[in-house]
């Protein structure tokens, strides 16, 4: 149910694809995003939004820039991973979705996605 509300909320702003496992995928400002749902226990649905901010960044200062608050969003946890071709940066946000209607759900999701886009703009440009 939560993923259905999230899909409707996101479709106000983006083209959303529903994957075979029910996950929602979309892109915002060059950031690839996926929303997955799980139920931690009965009555506690949780949505997890993962944004792939950037990949294969070669600047050695990427981890420090992310640690110092590049993008400075209020929602989400950034992560920097060293890949074979450079640094990959993600932003994740998980939240209980019980009781969230379409409007508030859309606002919350877009706050996270906007933070990811701001972070990308600072890292890639």
């Amino acid at each position: 149910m939560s993923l259905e509300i999230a899909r409707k909320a996101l479709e106000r702003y983006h083209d959303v694809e529903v994957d075979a496992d029910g996950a929602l995928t979309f892109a915002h400002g060059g950031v690839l995003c996926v929303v997955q749902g799980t139920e931690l226990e009965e009555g506690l649905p949780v949505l997890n939004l993962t944004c792939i901010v950037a990949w294969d960044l070669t600047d050695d200062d990427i981890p420090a820039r992310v640690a110092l608050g590049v993008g400075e969003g209020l929602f989400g946890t950034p992560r920097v991973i060293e890949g074979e071709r450079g640094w990959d940066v993600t932003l994740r946000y998980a939240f209980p979705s019980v009781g969230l209607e379409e409007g508030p759900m859309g606002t919350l999701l877009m706050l996270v996605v906007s933070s990811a886009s701001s972070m990308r703009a600072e890292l890639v440009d």
Side-chain angles (χ1 to χ4, degrees):
M1 182 66 167
S2 295
L3 275 174
E4 181 65 21
I5 295 169
R7 182 189 59 76
K8 288 178 182 178
L10 287 167
E11 284 178 340
R12 294 177 170 189
Y13 310 100
H14 301 288
D15 292 328
V16 177
E17 292 184 29
V18 180
D19 297 341
D21 64 355
L24 310 174
T25 57
F26 62 98
H28 177 82
V31 175
L32 306 173
C33 304
V34 62
V35 179
Q36 297 169 303
T38 189
E39 192 166 36
L40 292 182
E41 67 175 60
E42 188 173 331
L44 183 56
V46 173
L47 292 182
N48 180 41
L49 171 59
T50 302
C51 301
I52 302 169
V53 175
W55 53 94
D56 298 339
L57 299 175
T58 56
D59 295 339
D60 289 335
D61 65 340
I62 293 295
R65 290 176 63 195
V66 171
L68 291 172
V70 68
E72 298 219 0
L74 296 175
F75 297 95
T77 303
R79 184 165 185 201
V80 180
I81 303 162
E82 188 172 14
E84 290 181 21
R85 291 180 263 170
W87 299 104
D88 300 334
V89 181
T90 61
L91 183 71
R92 294 185 67 181
Y93 186 66
F95 59 97
S97 58
V98 67
L100 281 177
E101 295 180 16
E102 188 176 319
M105 174 85 70
T107 299
L108 184 57
L109 290 169
M110 291 311 298
L111 284 170
V112 179
V113 172
S114 295
S115 292
S117 292
S118 294
M119 182 182 287
R120 179 177 173 79
E122 289 187 41
L123 291 172
V124 174
D125 293 340

